[in-house]
Amino acid sequence: MVKRALITGVTGQDGAYLTELLVGKGYAVHGMLRRASLFNTDRIDHLYHDPHVTGANLTLHYGDLSDGTALRRVLEKVQPDEVYNLGAQSHVKVSFEVPEYTADIDALGTLRLLEALRDHVAHGGRKVRFYQAGSSEMFGAAKPPQHEKTPFEPRSPYAVSKVAAHWYAVNYREAYGLFICNGILFNHESPRRGETFVTRKVTRAAGRIKEGLQGKLFLGNLEARRDWGFAGDYVEAMWLMLQQDKPDDYVVATGQSHSVRDLVETAFSELGLDWKKHVELDARYLRPTEVDALQGDASKARKVLGWRPTMDFKTLVKLMVKHDLGLAQQEKTLHRAGYDSPARGAASTGVG
Ligand code: NDP
Ligand code: GDR
């Protein structure tokens, strides 16, 4: 029997890596995406085949975490064995600008999906396993190293919403006996990372500065410390959680933490650049309340799931810098040929 997985947030960084992983394992993957005025499937286009072709193993469905009816419909249609709830307004700084929306999608959206799941399982007598994308941001002000028993002290509307989603998930597991796992994942990055998150913003800028396309990089707090791992490793942990005999919650992290300053220094020096000549502070990127230090203790995931990260911080930064230098070189070639790309991405958004 071919297993069926439903992924919300399939167009995001993790959605793309998870789809690759599951397709590689022989799953029929169904992704939920929201309607956009421009195509928003760049990260999964290489995995998508015309549905009329036999053997197509990624199918897309329109839906939105704000729309409970659509969630029910998609569940009924797909009849999944596993559901991965990755969809979210995932930007911490943006959550201060749009707190109600963030709560609606990240907290209530999870509740809507759990309600649909509860009915789907009760009426159809089906067995469905559910993964909830929790975050190290939930630990917020709690002292590192953080593990499954560390109390949550959230510091942003995003983090508060993820804490609510976490407890909804625990409650639905206990109240209705559903197979639900919360992953508490620390920051994970890749060349597919959105360009307003700090790692990608830095590696994009380093490549563009090296190619003479940009002079300055404006950043916020350089002292914050994060535990950065590779997204490809982290989606493996999500899948492993759903393959266990019992549902449980797991921290997923490398156990190493670095400051934003270390990140900038590592990325720029990879290209022989002196970051001090290019980086400037812009208070727009400071957060009203910051999470100062995150460093995960993933002993439980190591012991129970047999999960280990394969990529360290330096290798990850190197991979991203190399990728983004390539992008900058393409941009330069286009520029020379007379195709000017508009100012774009992290350099110009002013939000990330
Ligand atoms: P991204 O921001 O790259 O992707 C988020 C996904 O959610 C996108 O597919 C986005 O669609 C979708 N989405 C946004 N709003 C809605 C909505 N209203 N209805 C349905 N889908 C929506 O995030 P990541 O891939 O990095 O993260 C995946 C999940 O894991 C998120 O829940 C995030 O909060 C969480 N997380 C991430 C960590 C990380 O370091 N990456 C760490 C811990 C948790 P669109 O493409 O249209 O915008
Ligand atoms: P984070 O990631 O908030 O940890 O959330 P982000 O990369 O946005 O910030 C990390 C740290 O860098 C500091 N910082 C800046 N951040 C951004 N985005 N832009 C800047 O210019 C900048 N300057 C300094 C931030 O203040 C912060 O301390 C990510 C998201 O993927 C969440 O969805 C996820 O849950 C957590 O990781 C774990």
Side-chain angles (χ1 to χ4, degrees):
M1 278 287 281
V2 173
K3 272 195 181 177
R4 282 193 298 269
L6 171 63
I7 305 176
T8 71
V10 71
T11 54
Q13 170 189 256
D14 291 7
Y17 281 106
L18 182 63
T19 301
E20 266 171 12
L21 179 82
L22 297 179
V23 165
K25 290 185 183 294
Y27 280 62
V29 177
H30 293 256
M32 194 186 84
L33 83 166
R34 51 188 185 155
R35 193 264 163 187
S37 67
L38 289 171
F39 288 120
N40 60 351
T41 54
D42 284 15
R43 292 185 176 108
I44 49 169
D45 281 344
H46 63 293
L47 297 163
Y48 187 77
H49 300 285
D50 187 320
H52 304 100
V53 175
T54 27
N57 36 23
L58 170 61
T59 311
L60 296 175
H61 307 264
Y62 278 114
D64 197 297
L65 285 158
S66 64
D67 183 341
T69 311
L71 295 177
R72 284 170 187 272
R73 200 173 290 132
V74 172
L75 264 184
E76 281 304 316
K77 204 164 160 192
V78 174
Q79 304 269 325
D81 299 291
E82 296 172 10
V83 176
Y84 295 85
N85 184 31
L86 309 185
Q89 190 303 90
S90 72
H91 202 286
V92 173
K93 173 76 189 341
V94 173
S95 79
F96 289 97
E97 321 293 332
V98 290
E100 284 184 29
Y101 176 74
T102 304
D104 189 29
I105 302 312
D106 299 10
L108 266 184
T110 303
L111 179 61
R112 288 185 190 104
L113 190 54
L114 288 170
E115 273 290 273
L117 176 79
R118 171 189 165 199
D119 290 348
H120 181 72
V121 169
H123 299 155
R126 304 182 194 90
K127 289 195 164 40
V128 187
R129 296 181 171 211
F130 187 97
Y131 173 83
Q132 169 55 24
S135 163
S136 51
E137 281 295 299
M138 301 189 300
F139 293 124
K143 292 269 166 297
Q146 296 95 354
H147 50 77
E148 292 81 2
K149 298 214 157 34
T150 305
F152 298 140
E153 295 182 46
R155 298 266 288 167
S156 65
Y158 167 80
V160 173
S161 300
K162 284 287 183 182
V163 169
H166 175 95
W167 287 117
Y168 283 137
V170 170
N171 181 240
Y172 274 59
R173 180 168 70 210
E174 292 172 353
Y176 308 115
L178 296 170
F179 193 110
I180 299 175
C181 298
N182 285 295
I184 307 175
L185 272 53
F186 283 60
N187 299 55
H188 45 277
E189 319 292 319
S190 74
R192 292 178 184 160
R193 185 60 143 151
E195 293 186 25
T196 60
F197 296 99
V198 78
T199 51
R200 193 76 202 290
K201 181 171 171 180
V202 167
T203 58
R204 273 298 266 149
R208 296 185 90 242
I209 290 169
K210 180 72 182 175
E211 291 303 315
L213 295 165
Q214 164 179 344
K216 293 279 177 208
L217 167 63
F218 295 95
L219 291 175
N221 180 12
L222 298 185
E223 309 313 324
R225 297 186 72 84
R226 290 290 182 276
D227 180 334
W228 280 295
F230 172 55
D233 289 342
Y234 286 47
V235 299
E236 175 98 33
M238 297 176 188
W239 176 76
L240 282 169
M241 287 178 213
L242 296 198
Q243 311 314 308
Q244 305 306 305
D245 292 339
K246 285 192 186 139
D248 207 343
D249 305 330
Y250 298 89
V251 158
V252 179
T254 69
Q256 304 296 316
S257 100
H258 297 269
S259 65
V260 175
R261 185 185 297 272
D262 295 338
L263 163 73
V264 175
E265 204 164 348
T266 307
F268 276 64
S269 69
E270 188 59 31
L271 296 178
L273 296 169
D274 177 358
W275 70 274
K276 290 190 180 125
K277 293 192 176 138
H278 302 284
V279 174
E280 283 185 21
L281 173 81
D282 184 337
R284 270 190 305 185
Y285 301 116
L286 298 174
R287 295 158 187 203
T289 39
E290 175 64 286
V291 169
D292 295 326
L294 292 173
Q295 183 177 358
D297 173 358
S299 316
K300 181 174 167 185
R302 197 162 51 241
K303 195 165 153 228
V304 181
L305 307 177
W307 180 86
R308 266 174 193 72
T310 65
M311 211 182 280
D312 66 13
F313 172 75
K314 277 217 165 114
T315 315
L316 173 65
V317 176
K318 216 170 165 168
L319 172 84
M320 292 176 68
V321 167
K322 187 171 174 214
H323 176 272
D324 286 342
L325 179 65
L327 277 188
Q329 286 163 345
Q330 281 175 26
E331 232 179 292
K332 197 167 171 181
T333 306
L334 285 173
H335 178 72
R336 282 192 176 137
Y339 296 99
D340 254 337
S341 54
R344 60 182 302 282
S348 59
T349 56
V351 292

